[in-house]
């Protein structure tokens, strides 16, 4: 169970994922040894999945973002999601309810690269249909939010 100290540690790390235990301790008012122990426990239990850099893909030339909505043949769901997950340019893959089975988000250098991906999806024998939307403007992406205490 996550308690108030854990939430304070997580929220400090959300503000600065590179913060040391000492930095988090100074921000939260919790002893550095306690913060270090809590960070280790949060990582062991999977609350903290990893420490990673946040990249602006557009700044690296990935100017096209596309959202794919796929309807999949019943037995092919697992293989389609595995193939999408294994593609490095897919930044999100979701199994969903509703009129589609899978929603995936990909980053591409240009429309040619995106079109090649669309053609791969359309010719995949497990994909029944695919709809693609090209993102015109990214308003908010991959944001995390502070953890609040549950309502009592």
């Amino acid at each position: 169970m996550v308690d108030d100290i854990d939430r304070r540690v997580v929220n400090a790390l959300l503000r600065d994922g590179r913060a040391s235990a000492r930095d988090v301790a100074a921000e939260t008012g919790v002893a550095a040894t306690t913060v270090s122990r809590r960070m280790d426990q949060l990582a062991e239990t999977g609350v903290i999945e990893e420490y990673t850099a946040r990249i602006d893909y557009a700044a690296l030339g990935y100017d096209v973002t596309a959202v794919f909505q796929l309807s999949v043949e019943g037995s092919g769901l697992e293989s389609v999601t595995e193939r999408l997950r294994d593609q490095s340019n897919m930044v999100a893959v979701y199994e969903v309810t509703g009129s589609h089975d899978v929603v995936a988000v990909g980053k591409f250098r240009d429309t040619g690269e995106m079109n090649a991906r669309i053609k791969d999806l359309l010719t995949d024998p497990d994909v029944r249909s695919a709809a693609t939307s090209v993102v015109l403007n990214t308003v908010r992406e991959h944001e995390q939010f502070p953890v609040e205490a549950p309502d009592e």
Side-chain angles (χ1 to χ4, degrees), residues 13-41:
L13 290 170
L14 284 169
R15 286 186 285 281
D16 181 1
R18 294 177 56 179
S20 67
R22 181 171 289 158
D23 295 334
V24 172
E27 182 177 336
T28 60
V30 176
T33 54
T34 300
V35 167
S36 180
R37 184 173 41 81
R38 294 297 184 103
M39 288 170 64
D40 290 344
Q41 288 173 346

Side-chain angles (χ1 to χ4, degrees), residues 31-151:
T33 54
T34 300
V35 167
S36 180
R37 184 173 41 81
R38 294 297 184 103
M39 288 170 64
D40 290 344
Q41 288 173 346
L42 290 165
E44 287 173 16
T45 59
V47 172
I48 296 174
E49 293 180 348
E50 63 183 307
Y51 297 91
T52 184
R54 292 182 66 167
I55 305 299
D56 179 353
Y57 285 101
L60 296 172
Y62 291 83
D63 294 324
V64 179
T65 300
V67 179
F68 303 99
Q69 296 175 310
L70 309 175
S71 295
V72 178
E73 294 298 333
S75 63
L77 184 60
E78 185 176 344
S79 63
V80 168
T81 56
E82 285 178 9
R83 287 193 298 273
L84 288 167
R85 181 191 61 218
D86 292 342
Q87 293 178 14
S88 62
N89 63 324
M90 289 296 169
V91 296
V93 178
Y94 306 100
E95 290 181 15
V96 298
T97 61
S99 59
H100 296 91
D101 302 303
V102 177
V103 173
V105 179
K107 300 278 187 182
F108 305 94
R109 289 188 181 95
D110 54 39
T111 55
E113 198 174 90
M114 179 193 65
N115 287 338
R117 182 70 228 138
I118 293 168
K119 288 176 184 173
D120 287 344
L121 291 170
L122 290 173
T123 59
D124 186 315
D126 291 321
V127 175
R128 207 176 19 221
S129 67
T132 305
S133 299
V134 176
V135 174
L136 298 176
N137 181 34
T138 301
V139 177
R140 181 179 168 120
E141 184 172 64
H142 305 296
E143 297 298 323
Q144 298 189 75
F145 54 89
V147 179
E148 297 178 4
D151 292 336

